[in-house]
Amino acid sequence: MLNREELFAAIGEIDDELVLPVLERMEGEGERPRLRVTRKAIRVALIAAVIAALLAVTAMASEILGLKSRLVSSETGVESADPRLPVRRDHISLNGLAGSREYLACSEWLSFCDYYEEQMAGDCLADGKEAEAWKDRFHSFAGNQAEKDICRIYGAWDETMFKRLVEISRRYDLRLLTDITYAPSQSYLFETTGLSPYIRGVERYDYDLGSFLFEDGSFKDESTLTVDGEQYAYTLTCIHTGVLYPFSLDIPAGTQCREWEHVSPEGITLDMALFENEGINELMIFCNSEEMYVTLSLRWSGGTAEEAYARAELLADCFDFFVLCGD
């Protein structure tokens, strides 16, 4: 992709033959003598318009590919919050970029949950009750087992939350996930999803029983791997489009973030975001195709900023994103 300086430098290199047909047509449809006088100006204007369009595309791509396009921001400052109340955090959407129906639904649902749970907890505390006393953990308000399963997966703790969840999913024409299954082994995960092994070049891989799947093939793999003698816990989510995904990632509080693009060995462009806070590094890697959104997070401690950057790229290459994104 050309940068701004390269684009403007290219003005003088554009062949007149590319612009002349447009000029000739304009002259034929307008006042010929006047257009002859402004021929050079029109040429420059046409080229400038092309460059402006390219710059707009570049800016749009930057927004789409960055962390910002996946961020669902909280509106409440932590400082003023009652420590007994739920703490609002910035979230990362795991299956949808800004403007997509998945992102819009996720943003609306997460924002509602943050606000509503804080309000209900505050009411309980005002009445001298525990902050979570309002939650119906048995989901007795649900009409049938299928609704109870949805409430359990999405954390809908009363009828108001359930109704809002259904309303949001219908408005954005998204499916609600209804069945969550824990994957007892790596082979079960691969057989159920139809994926090939997607981890490579590691000294050791330890599958964690915390991994689970949904009925549409979306899944979360939460396991550990060892690279160069160091062990890393990771969380990998692969989420199909067309669903309202029930979970999100939180942005680490009070951290600085470094963002860049990294091309995997298969030629897949990855969006990398590296957070650092008091010696703790948290790496988030984003990749998506038309059918799948992939988010990978890893965490470790120690090292300089450049060492953390190099390690982030090394860890990214331990995962086959061609397999994960389904390209």
Side-chain angles (χ1 to χ4, degrees):
M1 179 69 71
L2 295 176
N3 62 30
R4 186 180 299 267
E5 290 74 20
E6 291 169 331
L7 283 168
F8 280 108
I11 289 179
E13 303 298 326
I14 296 179
D15 195 335
D16 282 346
E17 295 301 319
L18 298 176
V19 183
L20 277 173
V22 179
L23 292 174
E24 295 292 347
R25 181 168 182 177
M26 291 174 67
E27 289 181 350
E29 295 175 354
E31 297 180 5
R32 193 178 184 89
R34 182 184 177 188
L35 285 172
R36 282 204 187 98
V37 174
T38 60
R39 194 181 183 93
K40 182 177 181 180
I42 293 173
R43 178 185 185 277
V44 173
L46 285 172
I47 296 173
V50 172
I51 292 174
L54 288 173
L55 290 174
V57 170
T58 303
M60 185 180 297
S62 176
E63 287 294 304
I64 289 175
L65 295 177
L67 178 66
K68 184 178 178 181
S69 67
R70 297 171 170 90
L71 186 64
V72 179
S73 297
S74 169
E75 298 178 357
T76 298
V78 176
E79 295 82 1
S80 60
D82 185 322
R84 296 173 298 174
L85 296 175
V87 177
R88 294 196 191 186
R89 300 184 184 277
D90 290 338
H91 304 285
I92 296 175
S93 168
L94 296 179
N95 75 319
L97 301 176
S100 70
R101 57 197 177 106
E102 289 90 352
Y103 173 89
L104 293 172
C106 172
S107 177
E108 189 170 332
W109 171 242
L110 291 175
S111 297
F112 167 75
C113 288
D114 282 347
Y115 164 77
Y116 186 74
E117 292 192 23
E118 184 179 67
Q119 180 186 55
M120 295 300 290
D123 290 345
C124 287
L125 291 173
D127 292 337
K129 302 176 183 178
E130 294 292 329
E132 297 190 348
W134 64 277
K135 293 184 177 181
D136 181 351
R137 300 188 182 279
F138 295 101
H139 307 109
S140 57
F141 54 88
N144 51 51
Q145 187 58 48
E147 291 183 357
K148 285 187 177 183
D149 291 339
I150 291 173
C151 292
R152 177 171 55 90
I153 291 172
Y154 286 87
W157 300 111
D158 66 6
E159 187 174 9
T160 298
M161 293 190 76
F162 176 62
K163 287 183 176 179
R164 179 60 67 89
L165 174 65
V166 172
E167 187 271 325
I168 292 173
S169 68
R170 288 176 177 172
R171 178 150 41 84
Y172 290 101
D173 191 26
L174 297 174
R175 302 186 308 276
L176 292 176
L177 296 166
T178 61
D179 184 46
I180 184 171
T181 304
Y182 287 94
S185 66
Q186 184 187 45
S187 60
Y188 179 88
L189 180 66
F190 291 152
E191 290 170 6
T192 305
T193 60
L195 293 177
S196 303
Y198 47 76
I199 296 178
R200 65 208 170 174
V202 302
E203 297 159 30
R204 182 180 174 84
Y205 170 73
D206 294 298
Y207 185 77
D208 194 322
L209 296 181
S211 302
F212 58 78
L213 306 103
F214 292 99
E215 71 271 15
D216 71 335
S218 299
F219 70 92
K220 183 182 81 166
D221 174 11
E222 203 164 41
S223 303
T224 59
L225 50 81
T226 302
V227 180
D228 292 342
E230 296 289 334
Q231 187 178 68
Y232 302 88
Y234 71 83
T235 300
L236 170 71
T237 59
C238 295
I239 315 301
H240 283 287
T241 58
V243 301
L244 174 52
Y245 190 62
F247 308 119
S248 66
L249 287 178
D250 292 340
I251 289 288
T255 60
Q256 295 183 342
C257 177
R258 177 178 183 178
E259 290 189 72
W260 74 100
E261 288 185 349
H262 172 68
V263 179
S264 75
E266 304 79 32
I268 305 294
T269 300
L270 310 175
D271 296 325
M272 312 276 281
L274 181 61
F275 298 86
E276 190 279 328
N277 185 33
E278 298 181 352
I280 302 298
N281 301 290
E282 185 162 353
L283 172 65
M284 295 185 185
I285 304 174
F286 307 100
C287 179
N288 59 274
S289 63
E290 292 184 0
E291 298 296 329
M292 185 76 77
Y293 284 88
V294 177
T295 304
L296 172 66
S297 65
L298 302 103
R299 191 176 186 183
W300 69 92
S301 60
T304 65
E306 287 309 307
E307 288 172 342
Y309 176 86
R311 190 177 304 191
E313 298 214 325
L314 173 67
L315 292 173
D317 289 346
C318 293
F319 292 80
D320 190 332
F321 285 89
F322 184 85
V323 170
L324 293 170
C325 285
D327 285 339

